[in-house]
Amino acid sequence: MRSVVLVTGGAGFIGSHVVDRLIAAGHEPRIFDQRPSPWHDPKDVQTIIGDLRRVEDLRRALRGCDAICHLAAAADVGEVHAHPHWATELNGGGTLNVLEAAREAGVQRVVYASTVWVYSDVPAEEVDEATPLLPPAHLYTAGKLAGELYCRSYAELYGLKTTVVRFGIPYGPRARPAAVIPSFVDRALRGEPLTIAGTGEQERSFVYVEDLADGVVRALAPQAVGKTYNLATRETTTIRELAEIVRDTVGAVDIVHTDGRAGDLRGARIDSTRAEDELGWRAHTHLRDGIAAYVAWLREQPGTSVAAPTSAPAEHRRLARVARAGLGNPAGVGIVALIAVASATIAVILGARQDAQAADFTALGSAILVPLWALTVVPWPPEHRRHQVATTTLLAVLGVVLLGLLSSASGGGGVHPMRIALAVALSACLTSAFRILPRRLAALRPNA
Ligand SMILES: NC(=O)c1ccc[n+]([C@@H]2O[C@H](COP(=O)([O-])OP(=O)(O)OC[C@H]3O[C@@H](n4cnc5c(N)ncnc54)[C@H](O)[C@@H]3O)[C@@H](O)[C@H]2O)c1
């Protein structure tokens, strides 16, 4: 039967594949995400832009829906570590909002995307859905587990038909670049060494993303109600083996080891027999084949250094997309801003007629560069990154204009010492502010 299925996080890596899989299975997916999908045109797939943290957005999105696949989350473990309140709001509170909105709207069916990280504190060699869990060490796991518990409570208290799917480590086309396989492949493509945290003996169960998406859609089946399923593969791989597969697929690069990460996922074997028996699901794609498919997809993507030559209009579109992506990245904008101000400083120093004037310009240039540096290296909370980019751009433009004006206005003489002192004091205040502000912004979030 054709169902209208809301996919929260449908613009994301796994969610976008769930959208594809739903279409292939004859359903009508509807994307709910905080950003437009880079993978689906709203003309083809109805898209609702909204915030998981606002129940009213979810209520609006749920009108006319038969089911929900809930994947929106703070899925990057590093970001969870950096912004714990924001991540908990999304992964715990956001899931609660989805369940509450579903209850209010009378949408009975909810499939919740969890993770095999829930087993990371269990001291067992092999785990399945019946394995008792221990309180998790990592905040990401705590948030995802909270979501699982809310699903159970809503099923018990309000009769909601929930299913939990615990994903193995996904990889494949559209993967976030920070994940292990994309970053290995990226480094290998650049000819850089592959870095392994720790010994590399930790085992992982990598699942090709299209297999996972298939599992999510199968989990909408009536027999899955009230159940939890591992969606992992029997094929476990050590990080060391993974690095070797990437090296074999992409090209010869060195493999180097660094210190292990705190709270890293333990490598128990994940049993997915229940999903096989009850849903007919299997992760069909072998790691080597999946990595080869990922590399092939990556080579077709704009901005990949090894991409095949493209036609001129396609090249223009590619450059526009790369530029747009760069402009949204605070670190990238910060580096460009630092280069621009440093170049302007060097230019005015070289144009100085006296040593004293050159010294003044050096002081002024440094007074602009130091707060710009603080803006570039201290990450702002994700929802304020646009403000970080705008502040960086503004400071850089003001800095370059100011240096130009001072250089032409001061003729052969130096800058008044009071002005230099004022600039240095202002620089110190701005630098402190740009170091403290991101933390304050994170703390000011509702419920923080
Ligand atoms: N990627 C992994 O390694 C992994 C492993 C196991 C489980 N999971 C789970 O799978 C799900 C999908 O992960 P992914 O890798 O596709 O992540 P992703 O980051 O690619 O996608 C998450 C999506 O959620 C959206 N989102 C974030 N905050 C939102 C908000 N406030 N309101 C609306 N939308 C919001 C994002 O814009 C993004 O499109 C998550 O629930 C994650 O916890 C991921």
Side-chain angles (χ1 to χ4, degrees):
M1 199 185 78
R2 184 180 171 88
S3 301
V4 180
V5 184
L6 189 75
V7 183
T8 74
F13 166 39
I14 309 171
S16 66
H17 286 278
V18 171
V19 167
D20 287 340
R21 191 67 213 154
L22 283 165
I23 295 169
H27 296 299
E28 185 184 326
R30 183 185 292 173
I31 294 171
F32 176 86
D33 206 294
Q34 63 181 355
R35 57 176 177 144
S37 172
W39 315 112
H40 295 99
D41 194 305
K43 289 192 207 100
D44 302 326
V45 179
Q46 193 186 359
T47 302
I48 310 249
I49 302 298
D51 192 329
L52 195 61
R53 292 168 293 180
R54 286 198 296 261
V55 188
E56 59 273 21
D57 287 2
L58 286 159
R59 277 193 206 114
R60 181 166 53 95
L62 271 176
R63 275 184 213 130
C65 281
D66 303 299
I68 307 172
C69 295
H70 171 41
L71 289 97
D76 181 328
V77 181
E79 284 204 340
V80 173
H81 189 274
H83 304 290
H85 284 114
W86 164 79
T88 305
E89 257 185 273
L90 280 189
N91 294 354
T95 302
L96 196 61
N97 287 346
V98 167
L99 294 165
E100 181 56 18
R103 179 175 82 96
E104 286 176 12
V107 175
Q108 283 286 303
R109 202 64 190 90
V110 180
V111 174
Y112 168 64
S114 186
T115 168
V116 297
W117 273 69
V118 297
Y119 300 114
S120 54
D121 297 275
V122 176
E125 289 302 309
E126 181 145 356
V127 290
D128 64 14
E129 298 85 347
T131 304
L133 302 178
L134 289 173
H138 204 291
L139 198 70
Y140 172 70
T141 323
K144 297 306 291 184
L145 204 49
E148 288 197 14
L149 297 176
Y150 294 147
C151 285
R152 178 165 155 71
S153 301
Y154 267 71
E156 289 293 325
L157 299 180
Y158 307 112
L160 222 63
K161 294 176 179 164
T162 59
T163 301
V164 172
V165 281
R166 292 176 178 160
F167 295 162
I169 318 291
Y171 72 100
R174 307 174 190 165
R176 281 176 287 115
V180 60
I181 291 182
S183 66
F184 272 8
V185 169
D186 182 57
R187 290 184 76 88
L189 286 171
R190 291 167 195 273
E192 293 172 8
L194 308 183
T195 314
I196 295 175
T199 61
E201 292 311 308
Q202 31 319 24
E203 284 190 328
R204 293 286 187 273
S205 162
F206 292 102
V207 196
Y208 193 60
V209 65
E210 290 177 16
D211 289 337
L212 271 188
D214 177 40
V216 173
V217 175
R218 284 173 188 263
L220 286 165
Q223 68 270 26
V225 170
K227 301 278 184 61
T228 296
Y229 296 98
N230 292 333
L231 297 182
T233 151
R234 289 171 192 277
E235 187 186 11
T236 56
T237 312
T238 66
I239 298 292
R240 174 87 204 175
E241 285 164 352
L242 174 68
E244 285 163 4
I245 293 174
V246 170
R247 187 171 58 183
D248 293 349
T249 310
V250 181
V253 284
D254 290 337
I255 296 175
V256 294
H257 294 262
T258 63
D259 291 342
R261 273 191 303 176
D264 209 354
L265 174 62
R266 273 192 72 262
R269 278 171 201 277
I270 315 286
D271 184 302
S272 302
T273 309
R274 183 186 286 177
E276 281 182 40
D277 292 348
E278 297 181 14
L279 305 178
W281 178 84
R282 271 197 84 153
H284 288 289
T285 313
H286 292 297
L287 188 60
R288 272 186 190 277
D289 299 338
I291 288 180
Y294 171 65
V295 172
W297 172 82
L298 199 63
R299 286 183 198 274
E300 288 168 7
Q301 298 311 298
T304 305
S305 53
V306 288
T310 50
S311 64
E315 183 65 11
H316 290 150
R317 281 200 302 276
R318 179 184 83 77
L319 287 174
R321 281 177 64 172
V322 170
R324 272 203 304 277
L327 286 176
N329 172 1
V333 172
I335 288 166
V336 172
L338 283 165
I339 292 171
V341 174
S343 310
T345 308
I346 292 167
V348 295
I349 292 169
L350 291 177
R353 297 194 196 138
Q354 295 170 10
D355 286 353
Q357 195 187 34
D360 288 350
F361 289 153
T362 308
L364 286 172
S366 309
I368 302 165
L369 284 168
V370 173
L372 257 185
W373 176 252
L375 261 175
T376 306
V377 297
V378 181
W380 290 30
E383 70 270 27
H384 286 291
R385 288 199 183 143
R386 270 184 302 169
H387 304 137
Q388 185 180 8
V389 166
T391 313
T392 308
T393 311
L394 187 68
L395 185 60
V397 170
L398 283 178
V400 171
V401 170
L402 189 74
L403 284 165
L405 286 178
L406 279 174
S407 126
S408 50
S410 58
V415 181
H416 195 285
M418 276 302 287
R419 287 190 182 170
I420 302 273
L422 195 67
V424 171
L426 192 64
S427 166
C429 292
L430 281 177
T431 306
S432 311
F434 293 147
R435 292 187 67 84
I436 295 164
L437 191 66
R439 261 177 282 149
R440 288 283 158 83
L441 286 173
L444 278 175
R445 288 191 188 110
N447 306 328

